[in-house]
Amino acid sequence: MLFLHPFFLGALVCAGIPILLHFLTKPKPKRVVFPALRFLQENRQSRAQSLKIRHILLMLLRVALIVLIVLVFARPQTSGGDAAGENAPTAAIFVFDNLPRMDYMQKNKSRLDEAKDRARGFLRRLPAGSVAAVATPQTTPTAFLPDREEALRQIERLETVPSLKDLTRVCAESLKLFDNCDLPRKEIFIFTDGSEEAWSVDSNALKQALEHHPSTRVTLVDVSATEVANSCLEIPLADNFQVLRGGNVRIQARIFRTGVVSHVQRAALFLVDENGVPQKRGEKEIRDVQNAESVFEFEIGGLSNGTHQGWIELTPSDALECDNRRFFTIYLPPPAPILLVADAPAEKSAFLVKQALAPALLQKENRAKFECDVVSHEEFKRRLENSTESGSLQNYRSIFVLNPKSFSPRQWNTMAQFVHDGGGIGFFLGDAIEKGADFSTLEARLILPATVEFQARWSDGVALAMPRGVTHPIAQTFVDLEVPIPWSAFPIFRAWQTGTLEKGAQTALFFENGTPAVLEKAYGRGKALLMTTPIHVETGGSERQWNLLPLGESWIFVVLMNSIADYLSHGEDVSYNVTNFQTLRLVPPEEAGERFWLAPREIVETNPTAAPNTALSTREGVVSLVADRKARSLDVPALERSGNYVLRSEESDFWRGISVNMPRFCTHIQPLPTEELREVFVPLNVSILKNAQGNLREETRFWSSVDWFAILALLTISLFIVENWLAGRFYKIL
């Protein structure tokens, strides 16, 4: 037996008070002169014996009453009937919730440190012959540790780490250790802050594991803070950045608050310059909005093309620092080079296409997505024939051939090699083709998605239409606009009809009569596209007009050209801002080689007022990566630590920045109601210990016991009534 409040046992000395009073208040006989002396002596002896018995009975009742009152306050506990015995060897599993939210500080101690202290108390008081195991969301033990000191060392080494695995799954996996354990007592201790993010709604796996071990005793030690006040910065994603004119970038951020933050906070933005020195580029005061969101924006000006990194930080920091800083990477790609091939005079013929891809105003403001060079068909064919100059085609990401003419087999082969090596080429057919057979040769079919057969004419015109289901990226661009597309305002009057699709080819856009309008085919690492109607303005009158696509205020034409250019140029559609659990796939340039290395961004601290990037100084070292040149891809693995990283090529000047942040759920502090928490462990009953109760349990080391409080309290009340009734009768007789 043990006691929840053993210090009350000292009050047992009060049990001697009735005894002391019994002897001190013992009545003394009085001398009485009376004739019938013999009769009085006999009567006195009889009454004295009766009074003595009654006084002793009252004394014993009062002693018992005092003892019961003391025991009620001391709260005795006894074993709940475990046949193994309270001091039998125990197999104990210590499960720790060590996600970053456990870094929350209260009274100069983190929640994880509090959990360690509690666990050490339990571990040191395990009976002789016991074994233990330590489990976390990152590590599931495979065997018990017979050495208690090794378990203590594992607990001491615990640190907060992001993880996707919740405690429900950790407990279910850890219970498998009991399958081959012969010790009579089995205990699992769970140390957590009680956050709802720590537990899965689906606890079937845990319930099944508990059903296999019905004798397991589950104790949840709640180390949560009594009052939580926390500000959490939003994770920067691609949608948070908006590129403005002249290299300006607008960054939108949010703060999510839990509880009441008593002090005024400010959000500061730091940008790391080319020398690795952080520069403060803005600061905002966060308005006092409790238990809600605060939205604010920063605008950074004059950014050049390339990678820019930095972070946003809340000052002063609160009790949970790890979500007060978020890292970000802004990548402004250089304009993708595109070669436009058109009829002489080439600049005039390709003017509308060039303006759609690279408007003069955007070029002036350094915001153009593409950079266009224009050559005539004669110049283009010369480059295709000349092996030396054909290599210059590799400087372009894609080629637009407007109103193409026939090509020789050598020229087709050169274009096929360009596509195979990763380039993109688009043919926009017009009236320059004398016969469809020129685009149906064996060499042409190597890259073209279909053969070209004959011209079709529609006097009233037909409109473009998207395929059913919309799976092609070119068509998906229009779907993403989320606005009605007035295709009928730009009719097509003439178009080339194509034959059967080649293997691997597909149709991106149709005419409304069901005939293909835009077709494409992958070849090697690149793509070839065929549009059956031209995209340039014809001369010679309305009778020669093929379509009205490029005429007037045709925003459809602009969107279509940019969508095709993106698709053929393999434009990077990747965010360099990821979480700890995301992998990243990049398309490295050819000149970058195959080998890369990834390392934390080096920060040079020269400004004492700037928020230092101290977290980076303790990161893991350089990681070597190898690109898959056949697939033109480089896979960057998920990174455990948050911060800014640099990816560099070992063979060129190529580099990219990557920012890693922990997901918001890793720092989300919202307690799960106790009743819902108990439901997780059904059919077993879980003992939930909080605050001082947890410390008391650590000191007394009771496992699963019977609390005698209610029984003793009822007995005390009953005894008090009996004592009061007897005392009334005895004194009445006297």
Side-chain angles (χ1 to χ4, degrees), residues 31-45:
R31 288 186 176 271
V32 179
V33 180
F34 200 74
L37 182 61
R38 182 180 177 182
F39 173 76
L40 290 175
Q41 286 178 341
E42 290 178 356
N43 186 47
R44 183 181 64 80
Q45 290 176 354

Side-chain angles (χ1 to χ4, degrees), residues 91-111:
I93 302 174
F94 294 82
V95 177
F96 287 87
D97 179 359
N98 66 334
L99 264 68
R101 64 173 178 275
M102 292 288 283
D103 280 328
Y104 190 91
M105 300 293 293
Q106 187 177 48
K107 296 181 180 179
N108 297 322
K109 181 186 288 188
S110 71
R111 300 302 85 207

Side-chain angles (χ1 to χ4, degrees), residues 430-431 433 453-457 494-497 546:
D431 56 8
I433 304 177
E453 297 186 347
F454 60 90
Q455 286 188 29
R457 299 171 183 261
R494 298 167 64 187
W496 285 93
Q497 299 296 286
W546 283 66

